[in-house]
Every structure is written in C-alpha cells, then in structure tokens.
Amino acid sequence: MDLIEIVNVTKKFDNFTAVNNVNLKIKKGEFLGLLGPNGAGKTTIIKMLTGLLKPTEGEIYIDGRKMSRNNVEIKKRIGIVPQYTNLDKELTVYENLVFAAKLFRINKKQYSIKIKELLEFMELEEYKNRQVFKLSGGMQRRLMIAKALINEPDIIFLDEPTNGVDLNGRRRIWDIFKVMKTVGKTVIMTTHYIEEADYLCSMVCLINEGKIFKNDTPDNLKREQGRYTIEYFDNQNGQMVTKYRHFKSKEEALNHVPKIKNFHYTVRETTLEDVFYNLTSRKVV
Amino acid sequence: MEITTVLWREFIFFKRRFFKITASALINPLLYLIAFGWGLGRDIQIEGATYMHFVIPGIIALTTMNTSFSAISTRINISKIHEKSFEFYLTSPVNMYLLTMGHVIAGALRGMYAAFLILIISCVFGIHIRINLAFILICFLNSFLFAAFGYGAALSIDSHYDMSRFTVYIMTPMSFLCGTFFSLDSLPFWAKTFINILPLTHASVSLRNIVINGQFNHTSIIILLIYSIAFYFFGAAMSYREMK
Ligand SMILES: Nc1ncnc2c1ncn2[C@@H]1O[C@H](COP(=O)(O)OP(=O)(O)OP(=O)(O)O)[C@@H](O)[C@H]1O
Ligand SMILES: [Mg+2]
C-alpha cells in the first residue's frame, strides 16, 4: 500500500502557482529524492506534507488519513529537517533536544538515553552544553538532524539535510540515512547534491516550475540517458565548453572516441547528475 | 504538559538574562517615579491621596501591560520569523491551546515580575503601597490579557516591521489615556465612555482604588477576565494561521 498519497495538489501564493497539480504516491520504505532547481517547489511540497501549509487544491493522505495541522497521530510519527535552521538559539544543544523530547511527550528516562545516543551519533557530545547561536553552521545542521530523530519517526522529511556540512560529516550523515533505509523507514529528501540522491535514493522525482516531470528509479533514469558518458572540452562558437555525450554501452562510447578531435576527454559511467543536468538544462532552454 | 514545557523553556531564557531583564525592567518605573514623584513633588494631592500613591498603581498597570506584551511578542516574533523555531511547534504533536496557554502564562509572569520590582523601588523611595489578594489578581489578569494579545499580535504578522503598528496605534495610546497618570474625572463624557471600555483603565483604576481606599469596583475583574479569555482565543486562533 502507498504510505503517502499526493492527489492533484496545487499550491498558490496569491496569484503565483508554486506547486502545480502534483500527483505522487510514495510506498512505505521508499527513499525518495525530490530534485529540482531553485524555486521548483520542493520545500513547498514538503511543507504541505508536514501540515505547515495547506494545499490550495487537492489532498494529501498519509497512511490513509488526511494530513493537516491537527493530525496529531501522524505528527507523532514524522521527523523533519527543514531547509532553514529551526533551532532555539538561546538554548544549549542538550536543552534543544530535551525541549523537542518534551514536546513529543517522551519521558525523562527514555529521552536521556535517546539524547545520549543521538549526541554520540552526530558527534555533538563535546558541544552539548554550548548555546546554539555559538555553533557553526554545520554543527547546527547536525543538531537539526538529531532533533528530527528524537521521536524515532518512521516517516522522515529531509529538506537539504546536508547543506553546509563538511565531507566527513556528510559521509557520517549518509550512514545514518542508510541505516534508516535498511530498517524500512520512509524518507523524502530534497537536495542539490545530486550525487547524494544517487547514493541514497530508491526513487527520484524531478521537479521544475511546480510540476513533476520525471519519477523513476535512478537506475532507470541513467539507462534511459545512456549508461556511458564521454565528457570532453570543445570549441563552440569560439568559446571553450564542456560537452557530454551519452551512449548505451561502453563499446559505443569507445567507438565514438576517435571522432573527438579535442584535448581532453573522459569516458565514464553516466551519473544521476548527468541525467539531471540534461533534463533541467533542456527544460530551461 | 505543553504548559510546563514552555514554562521550563522560558525560565531558562529568563535565568540566562536575569540581570539584563531586571535592569531594563527597573529603568522605566524609576524614571516615572523620579519625574512624577520628585519632579511634581510629594505634596500634590489628587483624589484625596498623595500623587505618589495615585500614580504608582497606574505605573504598575502600565508596566505589567507593556512588559507582558513586549516580552511575549518579541519572543514569538524572533522564534517565528528569525529562528523559525516556532515551526517546530507546529509540526510536533502538541495541543495548540495548551501551547498558547504556556506562552501566555510565561508572558504574564514576566509582567508580574516587573510589578514586583516597582513595589520594591517604591519601598526604596519610602512609599508604602498597600496590596492584597485582589491587587495581585488584577495585576495577573492585566498581565495575562496583554500577554495573550501580544502572542496573537506577533503571530498575526509576517514581518517584524509590522510589529510597531501595534505599539504605535494601540499600546502607546492606552499607556497615556487609561487613567494611568491622571484622573479621568475631568474628561468629557464621550472620552470617558470610550476609555472605560479599555482594559488598562479597569486595571489602573482598580489598583488605585485598592491602594487608596482598600476597595474597588468588582465588575472590573469581570471585564478583565472577559478580555483575557477573548485575547487567549485570539492567540490560539492565530497559532493556526499559515506560516509563510
Ligand atoms: N510564502 C511564500 N509566498 C510567496 N511565494 C512563495 C512563498 N514560498 C515560496 N514561494 C515561491 O514558490 C516557489 C517555490 O518555492 P520553494 O521554496 O518550494 O522552492 P524550492 O524548490 O524549495 O527551492 P530551493 O531549491 O531554492 O530551496 C518559489 O518561486 C518561491 O518564490
Ligand atoms: Mg527549498
């Protein structure tokens, strides 16, 4: 059964349509990536899914029940890492987590254990008594992820969760996300790091101007594009630009190589980034 | 549960800024007392009392109003517009009515704290103010209703710059008009009628009557209570407003 159903959802801000008649079904255990350029409508979709915004038209169902700000039962089961920091800046790292736990009605015995575990996991232990406004951006991000997991949610919304996190931190967070995936949690993530989506997502939705125009597995998308890519530097109207060509197989790609007159080229496997680049730049033109 | 959680959180805030909050809460009343007390002189009699006894209850009403209103509206504004931490409330499984109540009580307690400081300063100035249970209750209702109003006001706007509208058009006029610094007796009938609708009038007049005569008009309590309930529901309704 589909855990999340978005049915004919449109969101308008005054006269501006941010999300335009979106339909989407998300299965339990899916790790879905919402990808799209700035202003595509990703955050707006997540805000509607979490009850922060009300769709102008259409409905959202989670586990068969209509999502709204009053749906306390569903809210108990979801965890959210929003795009913008939502931390209490005056409180310390530890107090932020306690506060979140209290709002979820988790008792002290349970939350003490949980918080210890999360602090360790997010490598925030040595900062636990530091006030949030004194943390660096990446640390705040990690704290937001810890906060989102305080209630052991089974549906998790991640809006650019690793934005500004350093490489080590990101790898660490990916591990956490992978654990979520293996234990069967449903995750909806947006990101501008396409390799992140490629690495984690079982499904991706490509969005532009409020519309979903592709919804498939990363693998299928890459196959559709051509599994192999030649990347080379070439002259185009007097300007040097990087060009990409995609091929069904390695042989085809290698056969094409002699036709490239130019400097430098690479033959490699197609990535989701190639697909995304191709589809979005074509859209823009 | 939501109430104690919010109070716990606000208490941490208060504790960390104890000296700053206390110092700034002392400045205004101190200025009033110096200006009206020493400046105007202790010998002026008004409604059969010294001007100090007349004006201090007014200052208490005024200060509880302003402190509660601005304490809570600033907190909500920051957490809604700048920190975005308010969003977290909206996505957690809280009861919005209890959450509102927690914030409003926290704001009201800030108002009560400011009133307490004024009483202490008055003592330092050698003015003994008679207080009783009704006095405390009125202070609390006045703080509560303006905290609730501040909560709703802060949630009803999308930009911090809009907040000054409430201060300029509502709070400041009330500060001066509601019988805080002068007697309402000499006002024309229509002005008196209008001013009598405002909650601050009831708070300052009742507090003054308690201090000067030891008794007051009990309908004032009912009026303050009605305002409290109305503003509380206004605040709760505003927390359902779509956040942009
Ligand atoms: N409160 C609002 N009022 C008016 N327009 C809005 C509001 N919120 C979003 N929009 C508009 O809706 C569109 C979609 O915004 P959204 O934040 O969903 O984009 P996004 O895909 O998350 O982009 P980004 O990658 O930059 O985060 C944008 O054009 C934005 O300007
Ligand atoms: Mg966004």
Side-chain angles (χ1 to χ4, degrees):
Chain A
M1 201 191 100
D2 297 309
L3 183 65
I4 300 175
E5 259 184 286
I6 303 178
V7 188
N8 297 332
V9 164
T10 294
K11 178 70 194 178
K12 289 187 180 154
F13 295 108
D14 302 317
N15 289 322
F16 177 78
T17 307
V19 173
N20 193 350
N21 195 24
V22 162
N23 282 286
L24 183 63
K25 289 177 177 175
I26 304 164
K27 287 195 180 61
K28 189 176 177 324
E30 198 89 83
F31 201 120
L32 177 84
L34 292 178
L35 309 181
N38 292 137
K42 306 176 296 291
T43 300
T44 308
I45 291 178
I46 292 206
K47 283 191 171 175
M48 288 191 285
L49 284 167
T50 53
L52 280 172
L53 292 175
K54 232 165 124 176
T56 314
E57 283 160 39
E59 256 114 55
I60 291 171
Y61 297 94
I62 297 184
D63 216 357
R65 274 179 301 174
K66 200 170 159 178
M67 186 58 196
S68 76
R69 198 176 287 175
N70 281 325
N71 199 333
V72 173
E73 285 313 306
I74 295 293
K75 281 185 180 177
K76 275 185 199 157
R77 293 171 48 193
I78 65 182
I80 305 164
V81 178
Q83 180 169 1
Y84 302 102
T85 331
N86 67 343
L87 300 166
D88 222 313
K89 300 229 163 59
E90 293 284 329
L91 297 185
T92 63
V93 169
Y94 190 80
E95 286 160 353
N96 257 284
L97 294 172
V98 172
F99 186 55
K102 284 174 182 247
L103 288 178
F104 277 90
R105 296 166 190 274
I106 301 167
N107 66 40
K108 187 163 182 182
K109 208 170 140 194
Q110 269 176 309
Y111 75 59
S112 317
I113 300 168
K114 188 73 201 168
I115 290 175
K116 193 161 178 294
E117 183 190 309
L118 286 170
L119 287 174
E120 248 165 57
F121 215 45
M122 301 309 297
E123 292 172 339
L124 281 170
E125 261 198 316
E126 57 179 305
Y127 308 107
K128 80 177 197 191
N129 292 321
R130 198 179 282 193
Q131 272 171 287
V132 168
F133 70 85
K134 294 176 187 161
L135 293 181
S136 78
M139 289 179 201
Q140 294 190 13
R141 218 60 213 161
R142 283 192 254 165
L143 176 57
M144 281 167 68
I145 296 172
K147 190 167 146 181
L149 299 179
I150 194 90
N151 56 326
E152 303 188 340
D154 60 75
I155 308 167
I156 298 147
F157 296 94
L158 308 167
D159 200 349
E160 304 189 21
T162 61
N163 191 9
V165 177
D166 63 26
L167 186 66
N168 289 323
R170 177 170 300 164
R171 293 272 155 97
R172 181 112 191 100
I173 290 169
W174 284 1
D175 283 346
I176 296 165
F177 294 168
K178 270 171 101 176
V179 171
M180 292 181 193
K181 194 169 159 178
T182 48
V183 298
K185 310 222 167 192
T186 310
V187 184
I188 290 101
M189 175 177 80
T190 80
T191 179
H192 288 295
Y193 305 112
I194 309 298
E195 83 276 11
E196 182 167 88
D198 204 354
Y199 185 69
L200 293 165
C201 296
S202 57
M203 274 301 252
V204 293
C205 269
L206 304 184
I207 307 175
N208 199 15
E209 293 176 356
K211 283 195 154 128
I212 295 181
F213 65 93
K214 273 274 178 214
N215 179 14
D216 214 332
T217 64
D219 223 45
N220 284 344
L221 289 170
K222 285 185 243 175
R223 187 176 318 135
E224 205 173 282
Q225 184 78 92
R227 284 235 167 254
Y228 287 85
T229 296
I230 305 180
E231 188 179 328
Y232 59 102
F233 211 39
D234 201 6
N235 192 323
Q236 182 177 316
N237 309 328
Q239 259 194 339
M240 296 306 284
V241 291
T242 306
K243 289 188 167 174
Y244 304 89
R245 297 209 46 170
H246 308 288
F247 302 90
K248 288 246 167 321
S249 64
K250 200 166 187 173
E251 288 71 55
E252 265 181 61
L254 290 174
N255 286 339
H256 186 79
V257 167
K259 293 185 195 150
I260 301 171
K261 299 179 272 308
N262 241 302
F263 308 70
H264 192 80
Y265 68 86
T266 337
V267 182
R268 55 171 174 76
E269 285 189 25
T270 301
T271 62
L272 192 59
E273 201 163 307
D274 294 319
V275 178
F276 183 75
Y277 180 74
N278 226 319
L279 291 171
T280 50
S281 54
R282 202 186 293 149
K283 281 268 162 190
V284 172
V285 172
Chain B
M1 185 71 190
E2 281 88 341
I3 297 179
T4 52
T5 303
V6 172
L7 288 177
W8 169 79
R9 193 237 158 288
E10 292 306 303
F11 182 66
I12 293 177
F13 179 84
F14 179 77
K15 215 167 55 181
R16 288 214 172 111
R17 302 179 158 259
F18 178 73
F19 289 107
K20 285 181 200 162
I21 289 175
T22 307
S24 65
L26 286 172
I27 294 299
N28 262 331
L30 212 54
L31 289 175
Y32 289 135
L33 286 174
I34 290 171
F36 298 123
W38 286 349
L40 282 177
R42 290 183 181 203
D43 305 329
I44 296 176
Q45 292 278 317
I46 188 165
E47 287 182 8
T50 68
Y51 187 63
M52 278 305 229
H53 280 94
F54 178 87
V55 82
I56 287 173
I59 293 174
I60 289 180
L62 174 69
T63 307
T64 47
M65 165 179 99
N66 278 331
T67 308
S68 306
F69 178 86
S70 57
I72 193 165
S73 61
T74 309
R75 295 279 302 126
I76 295 297
N77 246 307
I78 301 270
S79 79
K80 183 195 152 184
I81 295 168
H82 302 284
E83 286 184 354
K84 307 265 179 209
S85 51
F86 199 83
E87 237 181 56
F88 188 74
Y89 294 129
L90 302 179
T91 54
S92 45
V94 294
N95 179 326
M96 289 318 266
Y97 287 92
L98 295 178
L99 190 83
T100 305
M101 188 55 98
H103 278 106
V104 174
I105 292 177
L109 291 175
R110 285 279 298 276
M112 297 294 281
Y113 178 64
F116 169 73
L117 291 176
I118 297 174
L119 289 175
I120 290 183
I121 301 179
S122 310
C123 276
V124 173
F125 274 66
I127 302 146
H128 180 70
I129 299 288
R130 174 166 36 172
I131 68 165
N132 57 16
L133 222 58
F135 187 95
I136 295 172
L137 177 67
I138 290 167
C139 278
F140 182 77
L141 284 175
N142 195 47
S143 302
F144 184 95
L145 79 93
F146 283 108
F149 181 61
Y151 181 83
L155 285 178
S156 72
I157 56 171
D158 290 321
S159 158
H160 187 67
Y161 299 113
D162 294 333
M163 204 60 217
S164 64
R165 284 204 314 248
F166 290 98
T167 336
V168 172
Y169 294 113
I170 301 176
M171 305 305 283
T172 312
M174 274 210 279
S175 315
F176 287 97
L177 296 178
C178 294
T180 36
F181 298 122
F182 55 85
S183 168
L184 291 174
D185 293 344
S186 48
L187 289 179
F189 177 75
W190 63 268
K192 227 193 300 195
T193 317
F194 173 68
I195 288 171
N196 260 323
I197 303 171
L198 301 173
L200 185 63
T201 315
H202 291 272
S204 59
V205 170
S206 307
L207 290 180
R208 177 170 304 135
N209 283 334
I210 291 172
V211 168
I212 297 176
N213 311 320
Q215 54 196 355
F216 69 104
N217 187 346
H218 288 234
T219 43
S220 285
I221 291 221
I222 295 176
I223 290 170
L224 291 174
L225 200 62
I226 291 171
Y227 271 106
S228 299
I229 294 169
F231 285 149
Y232 167 69
F233 280 103
F234 164 66
M238 279 302 139
S239 48
Y240 279 95
R241 193 172 162 267
E242 200 163 73
M243 299 284 140
K244 291 208 169 156

